[in-house]
Amino acid sequence: MKLHEYQSKFRFSEYGIPIPRGKVATTPNEAFLIAKELGSPVVVKAQVLVGGRGKAGGVKLARTPEEAEQHATAILSMRIKGLPVKKVLVDPASEIENEIYLGITTDRAARRSVVIASAAGGVDIEEVAASTPERIIRTHVDPFLGLRDYQARNIASDISLPRQYWKPFIQIALGLYRCYQNSDASLAEINPLVVTKGGEMMALDGKIVLDDNALFRHNDLAEIRDTDEEVAAETQARQAGLSYVKLDGEIGCMVNGAGLAMATMDMTKLFGGSPANFLDIGGGAKSDKVAVALRIILADRNVKAVLFNIFGGITRCDEVARGILTALSEVPTTVPMIARLVGTNEEEGRAILADAKMITAASLAEAAQKAVNAARQHSTK
Ligand code: GDP
Ligand code: MN
């Protein structure tokens, strides 16, 4: 789960990181009032959960409240990389002397968190990483010791930060690390961290990505999830207790078990197809869950065939088959359905589905091939 810039920065400020004292507006008039209250030039910033807003025209400087209102009108009617802008952050504008990059993420290979810093912060950090990787400083953090003062000081020195800024920089880096840890984040990033002309350090932009697997212990964070900004199908799936990730292929996959779902996607690829989604319907596979899952899969216009790959363990295959039929009766479609059922009572299960004109298969390879063929035929119709 991603947090918006304003959510990220408000959270940063709880960890002692200075941020501009801006506010969020959902209408141009609110933006006008906030700009008036701030009483200075402001920046109006689109709040969308994608990067590169600045370059897309989603960050605009306004000298007057009227101008802030105009920019808010324009920005609130934008889509950035396909996502609608529903809120803007109105921040007092800063006069920037220097833009630094500071981020923390997980380095899986090193099994540690890593602090990433660069003197060349701003909108082109990816470019810096690609063309001048030596300008990116990486520092691993011992999970038991946490980020130490001396490490933050070394980072400040390595990015050639003038000495008078070391103290605030160290405070910001340690604060960011604590925020990252306490939030169970997979990313906490400030880009840019600026030195202003007035000699202050401040987080002008912020980004936090939370580890969904740890959200259960952060009710306050789970509550601020912005479902407007998610793929609608992923929201519906989460609410139904399904693990679903939309992909770009044409074969919808309905599978019980995450490992089996991965194997199913691999097999689909092996036979020349491409999965439309990852979906783990979990244990049980009751008909109501299957129906929700089927609706989600079929709502994707790219889907040309649906592959059911079900392992019947405690749940018997005949039960699952009836679940699938109930679901199918609720979600009428002409998209071909291919089912592979194995495990307890598999023959009964297959017979039920074959009666219902579903294509059945005994092995995953056979099922994947049949699904790929069925998808090709269906798309030429
Ligand atoms: P992003 O494009 O989504 O990363 O949005 P940012 O909030 O990082 O803004 C992009 C760029 O706009 C920054 O790197 C700054 O150069 C500039 N910018 C943002 N806020 C201000 C501000 O208050 N004053 C000035 N002068 N520039 C700003
Ligand atoms: Mn930025």
Side-chain angles (χ1 to χ4, degrees):
M1 169 181 159
K2 294 176 185 168
L3 297 189
H4 279 295
E5 173 193 3
Y6 73 93
Q7 296 168 329
S8 305
K9 290 201 296 198
F10 291 168
R11 198 159 173 85
F12 289 162
S13 79
E14 290 170 20
Y15 289 87
I17 298 172
I19 60 166
R21 47 188 180 86
K23 287 186 182 162
V24 175
T26 52
T27 64
N29 185 248
E30 273 172 33
F32 173 87
L33 294 172
I34 296 167
K36 204 167 163 188
E37 183 191 328
L38 293 172
S40 62
V42 294
V43 278
V44 183
K45 311 180 75 177
Q47 299 298 290
V48 273
L49 297 175
V50 288
R53 296 164 308 167
K55 287 192 169 172
V59 178
K60 285 270 190 309
L61 183 77
R63 266 163 294 270
T64 63
E66 288 75 17
E67 210 182 325
E69 185 170 15
Q70 286 162 17
H71 287 321
T73 307
I75 293 174
L76 285 167
S77 62
M78 283 173 74
R79 293 181 87 88
I80 299 183
K81 295 183 184 163
L83 292 175
V85 182
K86 301 210 168 154
K87 296 186 200 110
V88 291
L89 175 63
V90 183
D91 265 351
S94 306
E95 288 196 277
I96 301 175
E97 180 74 39
N98 198 354
E99 296 191 82
I100 295 164
Y101 176 92
L102 183 66
I104 305 180
T105 186
T106 308
D107 181 345
R108 286 170 190 274
R111 301 183 192 162
R112 293 187 171 208
S113 303
V114 60
V115 180
I116 302 170
S118 176
V123 293
D124 284 320
I125 191 68
E126 286 84 4
E127 175 66 30
V128 174
S131 60
T132 48
E134 69 282 359
R135 300 199 65 194
I136 309 270
I137 308 295
R138 288 187 175 75
T139 307
H140 287 98
V141 182
D142 185 298
F144 296 107
L145 299 177
L147 183 66
R148 312 306 297 172
D149 284 33
Y150 80 89
Q151 292 181 299
R153 196 156 43 242
N154 285 348
I155 297 169
S157 161
D158 287 347
I159 61 170
S160 309
L161 191 67
R163 213 168 249 275
Q164 74 262 34
Y165 299 117
W166 286 17
K167 203 169 157 209
F169 178 83
I170 292 167
Q171 190 203 336
I172 289 168
L174 298 187
L176 189 65
Y177 182 75
R178 283 197 301 121
C179 176
Y180 170 84
Q181 282 296 84
N182 291 352
S183 314
D184 285 316
S186 56
L187 176 73
E189 181 185 86
I190 306 175
N191 187 31
L193 171 62
V194 298
V195 177
T196 64
K197 292 226 155 59
E200 275 180 293
M201 279 197 116
M202 194 154 48
L204 271 211
D205 189 10
K207 180 172 177 183
I208 297 180
V209 181
L210 301 166
D211 180 348
D212 283 357
N213 293 311
L215 269 182
F216 71 94
R217 51 185 191 191
H218 299 284
N219 289 333
D220 54 329
L221 293 173
E223 270 170 18
I224 61 176
R225 188 191 285 273
D226 188 346
T227 48
D228 287 353
E229 294 278 340
E230 290 182 327
V231 177
E234 291 183 7
T235 311
Q236 288 163 16
R238 193 180 51 256
Q239 283 161 357
L242 305 162
S243 310
Y244 171 89
V245 180
K246 185 175 163 7
L247 302 169
D248 299 327
E250 72 289 352
I251 301 196
C253 298
M254 170 114 55
V255 188
N256 63 340
L260 198 58
M262 301 295 274
T264 306
M265 290 160 55
D266 283 349
M267 208 54 117
T268 307
K269 280 261 181 200
L270 185 68
F271 289 106
S274 164
N277 63 279
F278 167 93
L279 174 65
D280 174 9
I281 53 177
K286 295 264 164 46
S287 65
D288 52 341
K289 251 193 183 181
V290 177
V292 174
L294 197 58
R295 262 191 220 108
I296 290 171
I297 290 178
L298 292 173
D300 176 354
R301 302 288 295 277
N302 293 333
V303 170
K304 301 289 184 270
V306 180
L307 171 53
F308 292 78
N309 186 14
I310 306 290
F311 176 75
I314 295 167
T315 324
R316 301 187 326 262
C317 287
D318 54 324
E319 250 176 56
V320 176
R322 280 188 209 96
I324 293 175
L325 291 193
T326 312
L328 282 178
S329 68
E330 289 171 22
V331 191
T333 173
T334 59
V335 171
M337 306 275 156
I338 299 86
R340 178 228 183 196
L341 294 179
V342 282
T344 319
N345 290 2
E346 59 182 69
E347 270 119 41
E348 291 91 321
R350 276 205 289 278
I352 292 170
L353 295 182
D355 278 349
K357 304 264 180 320
M358 276 180 83
I359 304 167
T360 61
S363 74
L364 174 51
E366 186 191 338
Q369 272 170 307
K370 285 182 168 172
V372 172
N373 288 336
R376 289 211 179 111
Q377 281 170 14
H378 188 69
S379 46
T380 57
K381 263 187 203 162

